[in-house]
Amino acid sequence: MTSLSRLLNLSDSLWYSTKDPCSWKGVRCSSGNSSVTGLSLSAFDLSNSNFLPVVCKIETLQDLDLSNNSLSSISDEFINDCGRIDGLKSLNFSKNLLGGSLPTFNGFAGLKSLDLSFNSLSGNVSLQLDGLHALTSLNLSYNMFTGLIPVNLRNPFLLEELQLSMNRFEANSNGFNGTIPSGITRYLSFLDLSYNSLRGPMPTDLLSGPNLQLVDLSSNQLEGPIPAKVSNSLVRLRLGSNRLSGPIPPSFQTLDNLTYLELDNNKLTSEIPPQLSFCRKLALLNLAQNNLTGPVPAPLGNLSVLQVLKLQLNSLSGDIPSDITRLQSLSILNMSWNSLTGSIPSSISSLGRLTRLNLQGNNLRGRIPATIGSMGLSVRSPTWRKSTKWNYSEYAGELADRFESQHQPPSRSYSRNSFPAEGT
């Protein structure tokens, strides 16, 4: 550790070469301080990789975190030397400046977690990870990889978490037969392939892994129907911005743990299944920008913890069901650009937590409920249109797709409907 301290040339405020290394920042030791088991050099402003082979002389090392630095390469000497440490379980090089092709990880018999996300690695991923038989978590997101999803990843390993988002992987030939490989989620609990160029249909077993909790396939070019067989353990399902078609499977009614369902910006058809009302833990339901028809199902009013409901840019018809106004946790309601008719339910003022309401682009008539003014929704740019219609401009900017970042000013919009002018 003393030689490592000299190489790193850290300030006295971080490491002290004259004291017990187990008291240094980022150093974790075994009970009794007999050996170093963990080393976290995250955000230590490191740019030179010459210290890495020295780290590998710590034969008792279990966890190594080098994230949030400016390292530009992983040397062969590091791979060879640290690959011999059978007890090394976790390796984190995320948020550095790594470039070039993915190194081949020889050895690393006990490695369970590998994170190389947020770098500039490029090229294909084929056999470089083939020897990591103990791996349970792999994160290669936010790089510049191209080509096929690694063929070896369709073998089950022990993999539980797989994150390959924001690359340019394509799955359109060779052993994949134009699709995401079947069986890839057999043991996974977390699958993120978002923001790639994946094509073809979803395998029928893709959503049925018994341990599956989160699936994010958004922003690809996937086609065909959503598989009907879905794991009851799913908590979050993101399939937005693809080319998926067909109906929403009624089998979703069995998803007791589903909290986020995002199917927006696809080509889904038919009616919204009322069975979605059985997903009682839903906090976000986004079905916007599809080809959905029929009425807004009244049973959706049973989703007592629903906070975001986005149904805009479909072909929904009929009245706005008054049952929707029973959603006491609702903060975002967008039903704009459909073919809804009738009037705005007077009970809408009971939605005490509502901050954004958008009903524009429908065929609504009647009066805007007077009680809506007591809801604290700010009106943006009211203008007259003809002499009998209100036109409130749409608030600029939509809620970010990810539910966690919803912090927008309150607003409401009713334009392109037919409401009496004031005083009539």
Side-chain angles (χ1 to χ4, degrees):
M1 290 295 292
T2 302
S3 58
L4 179 59
S5 176
R6 293 195 193 101
L7 273 175
L8 294 176
N9 193 27
L10 299 174
S11 65
D12 287 347
S13 62
L14 295 176
W15 280 19
Y16 297 86
S17 59
T18 58
K19 292 187 176 181
D20 178 12
C22 292
S23 65
W24 297 352
K25 180 179 179 179
V27 178
R28 189 183 75 247
C29 292
S30 61
S31 57
N33 292 346
S34 59
S35 58
V36 173
T37 58
L39 189 58
S40 176
L41 303 179
S42 180
F44 270 38
D45 197 25
L46 304 174
S47 58
N48 194 325
S49 302
N50 62 350
F51 70 92
L52 289 178
V54 179
V55 170
C56 301
K57 294 181 180 179
I58 307 174
E59 297 180 352
T60 55
L61 196 61
Q62 297 177 11
D63 303 291
L64 177 58
D65 184 357
L66 298 168
S67 63
N68 287 286
N69 284 293
S70 300
L71 302 175
S72 58
S73 64
I74 302 176
S75 66
D76 291 341
E77 189 176 0
F78 170 84
I79 295 291
N80 293 333
D81 292 350
C82 274
R84 298 189 184 101
I85 305 177
D86 292 342
L88 186 61
K89 299 177 181 178
S90 174
L91 184 57
N92 187 349
F93 274 95
S94 66
K95 297 180 181 178
N96 275 281
L97 302 175
L98 300 178
S101 58
L102 181 69
T104 299
F105 285 82
N106 294 317
F108 297 93
L111 194 66
K112 293 185 176 182
S113 175
L114 176 61
D115 191 343
L116 297 171
S117 61
F118 292 92
N119 281 286
S120 298
L121 296 167
S122 58
N124 295 332
V125 182
S126 55
L127 300 178
Q128 297 99 316
L129 308 174
D130 199 35
L132 302 180
H133 298 297
L135 201 64
T136 60
S137 177
L138 173 64
N139 192 346
L140 301 181
S141 299
Y142 291 86
N143 279 283
M144 298 187 295
F145 292 118
T146 56
L148 303 175
I149 292 178
V151 174
N152 57 304
L153 292 182
R154 67 179 170 180
N155 295 329
F157 295 117
L158 298 172
L159 208 58
E160 298 173 2
E161 297 186 7
L162 175 59
Q163 300 181 63
L164 304 177
S165 64
M166 290 298 291
N167 284 288
R168 297 182 61 189
F169 288 115
E170 299 177 4
N172 56 8
S173 61
N174 297 313
F176 292 92
N177 297 317
T179 66
I180 297 173
S182 179
I184 195 172
T185 56
R186 188 178 305 165
Y187 300 98
L188 286 178
S189 60
F190 187 111
L191 175 65
D192 185 354
L193 299 176
S194 60
Y195 294 91
N196 280 290
S197 300
L198 301 175
R199 301 175 183 270
M202 298 169 61
T204 56
D205 65 348
L206 186 65
L207 303 180
S208 63
N211 303 316
L212 210 53
Q213 296 182 35
L214 186 149
V215 175
D216 191 345
L217 303 176
S218 58
S219 297
N220 280 285
Q221 299 172 39
L222 299 172
E223 302 172 343
I226 299 173
K229 192 175 182 182
V230 185
S231 172
N232 290 339
S233 62
L234 263 181
V235 174
R236 182 163 190 169
L237 178 60
R238 301 190 75 236
L239 302 178
S241 297
N242 279 285
R243 300 172 182 174
L244 299 172
S245 57
I248 299 171
S251 56
F252 278 22
Q253 67 178 322
T254 64
L255 304 183
D256 298 333
N257 297 306
L258 191 64
T259 305
Y260 305 95
L261 179 59
E262 300 169 74
L263 307 179
D264 53 298
N265 194 19
N266 279 289
K267 300 178 180 180
L268 300 175
T269 56
S270 193
E271 299 185 359
I272 299 173
Q275 292 90 337
L276 287 179
S277 63
F278 290 103
C279 303
R280 296 300 176 88
K281 292 184 180 179
L282 267 182
L284 182 149
L285 177 59
N286 188 353
L287 307 178
Q289 203 166 344
N290 280 286
N291 298 316
L292 299 170
T293 58
V296 177
L300 292 184
N302 296 326
L303 298 174
S304 59
V305 298
L306 191 67
Q307 298 181 41
V308 177
L309 178 58
K310 304 182 81 172
L311 303 177
Q312 69 268 25
L313 293 165
N314 280 287
S315 299
L316 302 174
S317 57
D319 295 350
I320 298 174
S322 59
D323 303 71
I324 294 297
T325 65
R326 293 191 286 110
L327 299 173
Q328 293 301 304
S329 298
L330 200 64
S331 60
I332 310 291
L333 176 59
N334 194 337
M335 296 183 176
S336 62
W337 303 107
N338 281 285
S339 298
L340 298 173
T341 55
S343 59
I344 301 174
S346 59
S347 54
I348 199 167
S349 59
S350 64
L351 298 177
R353 297 185 181 180
L354 198 66
T355 59
R356 297 192 66 196
L357 173 63
N358 193 340
L359 301 176
Q360 68 172 333
N362 284 287
N363 298 312
L364 299 173
R365 296 184 177 276
R367 294 183 178 274
I368 298 175
T371 53
I372 212 167
S374 65
M375 297 175 65
L377 301 177
S378 64
V379 179
R380 294 270 174 169
S381 303
T383 60
W384 288 106
R385 198 174 80 179
K386 296 187 178 178
S387 60
T388 58
K389 296 183 180 180
W390 286 95
N391 178 15
Y392 293 96
S393 66
E394 182 181 12
Y395 180 72
E398 279 296 329
L399 174 70
D401 284 340
R402 295 188 180 273
F403 175 59
E404 294 86 349
S405 61
Q406 54 161 314
H407 295 289
Q408 300 290 342
S411 64
R412 66 180 181 234
S413 182
Y414 317 116
S415 64
R416 295 189 65 176
N417 291 295
S418 297
F419 300 115
E422 275 188 324
T424 65

